Amino acid sequence: MNKSSIASYIDHTLLKPESTQDEIITLCDEAKEYKFKTVCINPYWVKIAKARLEDSDVGITTVIGFPLGASTTASKVFETKEAIASGATEIDMVVNVGELKAHNNEAVKSDIKAVVEAAEAQAIVKVIIETGLLTNEEKIRACELSKEAGADFVKTSTGFSKGGAAEADIKLMRETVGPKLGVKASGGVRSLETAKVLIKAGATRLGASSGIAIVKGEEGKGY
């Protein structure tokens, strides 16, 4: 896989709370220049990104129930609808980790399903399972529940908790969801070498703030 083709896997990410409008605009311009798959930004900035990316093929990913996943289902649904109305094309929602750990599977599944239904097939829905907080059994169960709820992707991490994208987790997630669902590796993806390893393991999308470094074959910093 060459450097240019890997750009199509990358959600060019800026989720820092101190991000400014100028930084979001720069992120969008970089995404257009390098032909990244989407920009991944907080909901507040979606309208700005839509205006900036209107003449491009770059999508807009935003985060829902972020970064803890412990907001109510109703609030996640509202966030999802508002984000799509503002221009989001992909929704990265955080699973309710506490309910997952408590084996309240129906609560977890209904939370995800409500977001999927709120998206009304207008946006791709990815479920962030936060692998750094989970046992392998919990990772498997989170993936199974995401699939049952109709999600399009499962995703490793928010980047705001423990750990990040690990090759073993990507393999486990891919084995669990099968060939049709997407698997997004995020957190600590900072080099072309790491990106290639994760894609080989089964990732079909990469979340990274080091996208430019990755496509240039350099070592990046940050998320």
Side-chain angles (χ1 to χ4, degrees), residues 109-160:
K109 186 163 78 171
S110 65
D111 187 57
I112 298 167
K113 189 176 180 181
V115 170
V116 170
E117 290 175 350
E120 296 181 336
Q122 296 176 70
I124 288 171
V125 176
K126 311 189 199 88
V127 180
I128 307 172
I129 67 172
E130 203 68 282
T131 51
L133 300 178
L134 306 180
T135 65
N136 279 352
E137 184 277 328
E138 290 165 345
K139 293 168 193 173
I140 291 168
R141 194 154 37 86
C143 288
E144 289 173 342
L145 292 168
S146 298
K147 186 175 181 179
E148 289 170 17
D152 301 293
F153 270 77
V154 286
K155 174 180 170 180
T156 57
S157 323
T158 61
F160 284 75

Side-chain angles (χ1 to χ4, degrees), residues 91-110:
I91 299 294
D92 286 16
M93 69 160 290
V94 188
V95 76
N96 190 314
V97 181
E99 291 286 54
L100 180 72
K101 284 189 164 291
H103 286 262
N104 290 331
N105 293 339
E106 281 306 312
V108 173
K109 186 163 78 171
S110 65

Side-chain angles (χ1 to χ4, degrees), residues 164-222:
E167 180 183 6
D169 286 337
I170 296 299
K171 286 181 177 178
L172 181 65
M173 292 163 73
R174 173 53 67 202
E175 287 169 6
T176 304
V177 301
K180 292 185 179 179
L181 259 68
V183 175
K184 180 175 173 179
S186 60
V189 186
R190 302 187 186 100
S191 70
L192 181 61
E193 182 181 352
T194 298
K196 287 179 176 179
V197 167
L198 295 171
I199 290 169
K200 187 177 180 181
T204 49
R205 193 74 66 85
L206 305 171
S209 59
S210 300
I212 294 172
I214 291 169
V215 299
K216 287 183 174 181
E218 300 170 355
E219 184 72 28
K221 298 178 181 178

Side-chain angles (χ1 to χ4, degrees), residues 59-114:
I60 300 171
T61 298
T62 198
V63 288
I64 301 298
F66 194 84
L68 303 178
S71 48
T72 65
T73 298
S75 67
K76 289 179 181 178
V77 166
F78 179 84
E79 278 191 289
T80 299
K81 290 180 177 179
E82 184 182 46
I84 292 171
S86 296
T89 58
E90 304 198 7
I91 299 294
D92 286 16
M93 69 160 290
V94 188
V95 76
N96 190 314
V97 181
E99 291 286 54
L100 180 72
K101 284 189 164 291
H103 286 262
N104 290 331
N105 293 339
E106 281 306 312
V108 173
K109 186 163 78 171
S110 65
D111 187 57
I112 298 167
K113 189 176 180 181

